[in-house]
Amino acid sequence: MARKKINKLIREAFHFLGFGIYRLPKSFIRLQENRIPDWDYYRPLFSPWLGYGEFERYYDIAKRRTLVSRDRCWILYSLCRQSFAQDGDIWECGVYKGGTAALLARLICGNSSGKMLHLFDTFEGMPETDPRIDYHRKGQFADTSLDTVRSFIKHDDTVIYHPGTIPESFIDLEKARIAFAHVDVDIKQSVFDCCEFIFPRLSVGGFMVFDDYGSPSCAGARQAVDEYFTGRETIPIVLPTGQAIIFKSK
């Protein structure tokens, strides 16, 4: 009993620090002896975000200027590549210093899809928030600017900037077609406004990913997504990364 309590305390301590502990079964360890392909990326399951294939060189672009973790960047990397087969452009709402936007821009430029990357942000920090539900406060993340983001991302022939608050920055884009949207705006009203504008303009087969859905510091983001999609046939798919994905099926 004492050993179980100690093990539980250790697991809880590591969980608090953002880590997980997994027991590897003996049968799993024996499989290593049979030379599993890409064994180094099993921790304990196949974890390609650790640097598998070409992902590492794209993550190297983003990591210096993003708060989005490796595994979440892998989801963006994979969804962006998938979106090349869909009709419409790629949107990112919530750009901050441009890390994930640069990753997306480089992927687009390396593909012949002809898509454009639309970036939406105040580029001046967090807008007005609702203290009843939002953890973040107005003015946070102000250590950025449109000029510094533009100079970092480059690829001006592929990237279109929409500075301002959401949903005002969506004005004049009513006819847009969207293949993939990355929503990382942290606060409830902005997430809801993104759902309300973007989802009707998603192409069939298109998708949205919500970076903040499972984050305890962005509880309003989950509420906004759930409120918008309640009663609709589209169901948010929650990932272990804390993200949630929705797909436009019809």
Side-chain angles (χ1 to χ4, degrees):
M1 183 64 69
R3 181 178 178 181
K4 288 184 177 179
K5 288 183 177 180
I6 292 173
N7 288 342
K8 181 180 179 182
L9 289 172
I10 292 173
R11 286 196 301 271
E12 289 177 348
F14 273 84
H15 181 73
F16 178 78
L17 295 172
F19 298 95
I21 298 178
Y22 305 92
R23 180 183 295 277
L24 298 178
K26 291 181 180 179
S27 59
F28 182 82
I29 296 173
R30 285 197 297 270
L31 286 174
Q32 182 185 7
E33 300 173 359
N34 297 327
R35 305 298 297 173
I36 293 176
D38 307 307
W39 169 254
D40 290 343
Y41 297 102
Y42 285 77
R43 305 288 179 83
L45 304 177
F46 182 54
S47 306
W49 47 87
L50 297 177
Y52 179 76
E54 293 188 342
F55 171 69
E56 192 67 18
R57 68 187 181 94
Y58 288 100
Y59 179 68
D60 281 343
I61 298 168
K63 67 182 181 182
R64 292 173 289 122
R65 296 176 65 93
T66 186
L67 301 176
V68 179
S69 58
R70 268 183 173 271
D71 50 352
R72 284 142 62 205
C73 282
W74 169 266
I75 296 297
L76 298 182
Y77 165 79
S78 301
L79 289 177
C80 183
R81 294 168 65 205
Q82 178 68 31
S83 74
F84 294 146
Q86 309 302 325
D87 180 43
D89 287 329
I90 296 172
W91 286 27
E92 181 172 77
C93 301
V95 179
Y96 189 33
K97 294 184 177 181
T100 54
L103 182 156
L104 297 174
R106 184 67 62 87
L107 278 168
I108 293 169
C109 288
N111 183 271
S112 59
S113 66
K115 294 187 183 303
M116 301 295 291
L117 176 62
H118 294 260
L119 301 179
F120 301 83
D121 201 294
T122 66
F123 299 101
E124 296 177 348
M126 189 66 67
E128 198 69 53
T129 68
D130 184 347
R132 296 172 299 176
I133 186 60
D134 296 321
Y135 174 83
H136 296 296
R137 295 294 176 262
K138 182 178 180 178
Q140 288 183 312
F141 307 113
D143 54 336
T144 186
S145 70
L146 177 57
D147 288 341
T148 58
V149 169
R150 190 192 298 272
S151 64
F152 172 68
I153 295 175
K154 302 179 176 62
H155 302 298
D156 286 343
D157 56 335
T158 300
V159 182
I160 301 174
Y161 295 88
H162 304 270
T165 57
I166 292 171
E168 287 75 19
S169 52
F170 294 153
I171 292 174
D172 295 330
L173 294 170
E174 288 78 6
K175 295 182 179 180
R177 298 298 298 166
I178 305 165
F180 164 43
H182 175 216
V183 179
D184 185 8
V185 290
D186 296 353
I187 59 177
K188 182 179 179 179
Q189 188 59 52
S190 293
V191 173
F192 190 87
D193 290 337
C194 286
C195 292
E196 198 167 47
F197 189 88
I198 293 172
F199 184 72
R201 293 166 178 82
L202 273 183
S203 300
V204 173
F207 30 84
M208 300 172 69
V209 59
F210 300 91
D211 182 77
D212 314 305
Y213 184 91
S215 173
S217 65
C218 303
R222 181 172 67 85
Q223 290 187 18
V225 174
D226 290 349
E227 286 178 14
Y228 181 79
F229 288 103
T230 295
R232 290 179 165 84
E233 294 182 357
T234 300
I235 306 298
I237 300 171
V238 184
L239 305 181
T241 58
Q243 297 158 305
I245 302 174
I246 64 92
F247 294 88
K248 186 75 166 286
S249 59
K250 62 180 180 179

